[in-house]
Amino acid sequence: MCSLILQHIQFRLNMDSKEQSLIHPWKDEIFQIFKNGGVSQVTYVPDAGHAQVINHVWADKDMRAIPVTTEEEGVASVCGAWLGGEKAVLLMQSSGVGNCVNMFSLINNCRFPFFTIVTMRGEWAEFNQWQTPMGRVTQEAFEMMGINVLRADQPERVGEVVSAGFDAAFQGGDAVAILLSQSLIGRKKWGVK
Amino acid sequence: MNTSSSHHGEIDRRVFVKKLIEACPDALVITGLGSPSYDAYAAGDRDRNFYLWGAMGGAAAMGIGLAIAQPKESVLVITGDGEQLMGLGSLASIGAQGLKNLTIVVLDNGHYAETGMQKSHTSLGTDLASVAKACSLDWAIHVRDFSGIDEIAKHVIAKNGAGLANVFIKAEEAPKALPARDGVYIKNRFRASLGLKPF
């Protein structure tokens, strides 16, 4: 009986290990791409999926972590960084993309290089359906405003996709959004069985 | 609450902006859409002016990225009450950064001049200097006459903190003075003034 309980606990732990709090190697790859690419400013509205990168940024003496209160502020701030000669990236979750739509006109009109990484909600095992309407149209919202979208679904592909988008933005001057699929990030813990 | 459109402030916006930029001639200036962009252009076009024609609510936030990227320069955001109200959260983000070289000047006529002089929230109870203080900016002042220019310029030149000047101007429209609307041109010209090359 005791071993059954232990087995069950072990099973739950394994299940939990697939949940959102897990440290993922691909998150370190993202940080390394920023670091090697000379990013000075990391602007963000937090998301659990970005937490590992954000922690690295706060710990890095050459990078500035810039928490903003809403995502469109982040769009404006990263454009300001480029105006001043620094590379800045924006991290947000899919719900924030809708907040940015008019502010994207700044990128479009001035042709600022723009690079954002978006953690997806509302598309895979979503418990909170309030995330779904914006998650469903995240890609379209970007494309509507002239921003190219790349998506990473597999952990082993994240580094390659992020790196390709990063170079298109900061070497080619493009506006690029990387969507990180919700399946990569894992289930959010709700404590509901 | 009997603020009439003509009594929000007494300062002539065109004269104020001209004297302010003259008092801090090296500042990197970002202007909020509408009249602040016209005011800065009327004061004399400069390579170091970045005129917004849209992106409402983004002027102060743009100042964050620029001020961090150029710590040796002083960044001066000149915007209107309506534009700043749309980006109120950016004051909290500025406070969080502990910047030394960012000044926000809000030309506050208490109205949306561009759209037919509807009252804004600063005519209806909001005090932007108090908001700035509550967001932990280093200084925030009310300016009701031209004597405030020296105080603002002192901070801009000293680069001793992040601050906001709430400047009470007359609610009247000045003649339109239109800077270039080509964002790519304005961006590249601004960057070139800092020695930065295009792609």
Side-chain angles (χ1 to χ4, degrees):
Chain A
M1 183 64 194
C2 189
S3 73
L4 263 180
I5 291 168
L6 279 175
Q7 249 179 18
H8 179 72
I9 290 170
Q10 192 58 48
F11 174 73
R12 285 303 316 165
L13 282 174
N14 287 341
M15 284 301 289
D16 283 350
S17 77
K18 288 180 182 147
E19 289 177 347
Q20 216 173 35
S21 59
L22 184 71
I23 304 284
H24 294 102
W26 54 261
K27 293 174 182 168
D28 290 338
E29 285 182 62
I30 291 175
F31 177 75
Q32 273 313 317
I33 290 164
F34 294 169
K35 186 83 187 151
N36 299 340
V39 170
S40 312
Q41 304 183 26
V42 177
T43 311
Y44 66 91
V45 173
D47 181 58
H50 291 307
Q52 195 171 324
V53 173
I54 292 168
N55 289 341
H56 284 318
V57 172
W58 277 100
D60 192 290
K61 63 176 174 44
D62 299 321
M63 283 193 197
R64 183 87 166 222
I66 307 174
V68 285
T69 66
T70 177
E71 294 79 0
E72 69 254 51
E73 259 176 54
V75 173
S77 185
V78 300
C79 290
W82 183 259
L83 206 53
E86 285 199 337
K87 288 179 192 164
V89 296
L90 177 59
L91 309 178
M92 59 178 152
Q93 82 171 243
S94 50
S95 50
V97 177
N99 295 345
C100 296
V101 173
N102 182 55
M103 200 60 77
F104 288 149
S105 59
L106 181 59
I107 296 165
N108 213 299
N109 270 303
C110 302
R111 250 187 286 136
F112 279 108
F114 176 70
F115 187 70
T116 184
I117 302 185
V118 177
T119 45
M120 291 302 297
R121 291 287 307 273
E123 63 172 18
W124 186 82
E126 182 57 74
F127 170 83
N128 177 4
Q129 75 274 26
W130 290 64
Q131 291 281 354
T132 307
M134 194 60 231
R136 195 183 286 136
V137 297
T138 298
Q139 178 160 355
E140 288 162 83
F142 276 125
E143 288 171 348
M144 215 163 58
M145 294 305 289
I147 294 167
N148 289 332
V149 176
L150 299 174
R151 184 184 265 272
D153 291 308
Q154 306 293 327
E156 60 278 9
R157 288 270 296 154
V158 172
E160 197 183 354
V161 173
V162 170
S163 171
F166 185 89
D167 288 350
F170 292 115
Q171 291 177 19
D174 204 358
V176 182
I178 307 290
L179 309 187
L180 298 179
S181 294
Q182 193 171 10
S183 59
L184 275 174
I185 294 150
R187 292 167 187 259
K188 183 164 175 164
K189 288 179 190 174
W190 290 98
V192 178
K193 304 299 173 201
Chain B
M1 199 83 69
N2 56 357
T3 317
S4 76
S5 62
S6 56
H7 287 100
H8 195 72
E10 296 301 330
I11 294 174
D12 179 312
R13 60 187 309 150
R14 283 285 155 89
V15 177
F16 189 91
V17 169
K18 188 166 175 25
K19 285 176 183 289
L20 176 63
I21 296 177
E22 279 169 5
C24 23
D26 297 328
L28 298 173
V29 174
I30 295 173
T31 59
L33 81 170
S35 299
S37 283
Y38 314 148
D39 296 335
Y41 179 70
D45 195 17
R46 301 159 76 242
D47 290 356
R48 291 184 159 222
N49 285 358
F50 187 85
Y51 308 104
L52 287 163
W53 276 88
M56 187 162 174
M62 207 167 177
I64 300 174
L66 178 59
I68 293 169
Q70 289 288 332
K72 291 181 180 161
E73 302 286 345
S74 205
V75 175
L76 174 61
V77 174
I78 302 174
T79 191
D81 47 307
E83 206 275 348
Q84 190 55 62
L85 284 161
M86 197 175 278
L88 215 50
S90 60
L91 296 177
S93 300
I94 291 167
Q97 286 299 317
L99 298 168
K100 294 291 175 210
N101 59 336
L102 180 58
T103 302
I104 313 293
V105 170
V106 181
L107 303 171
D108 184 355
N109 60 11
H111 292 77
Y112 294 94
E114 196 69 18
T115 55
M117 285 291 173
Q118 300 85 358
K119 281 187 180 183
S120 83
H121 304 65
T122 62
S123 286
L124 300 167
T126 298
D127 174 12
L128 289 171
S130 299
V131 175
K133 277 182 193 159
C135 290
S136 77
L137 270 67
D138 299 298
W139 57 273
I141 56 173
H142 291 129
V143 175
R144 297 191 185 277
D145 56 52
F146 290 107
S147 68
I149 290 173
D150 285 346
E151 190 176 353
I152 299 169
K154 189 185 71 189
H155 286 297
V156 171
I157 291 163
K159 295 186 284 259
N160 59 1
L164 181 143
N166 193 168
V167 180
F168 295 98
I169 59 168
K170 273 188 269 192
E172 60 181 18
E173 272 195 275
K176 292 263 194 295
L178 308 179
R181 295 187 297 287
D182 182 338
V184 176
Y185 163 69
I186 293 294
K187 173 194 71 174
N188 287 335
R189 188 178 76 157
F190 187 100
R191 280 170 49 89
S193 79
L194 292 167
L196 301 164
K197 293 190 172 72
F199 280 103

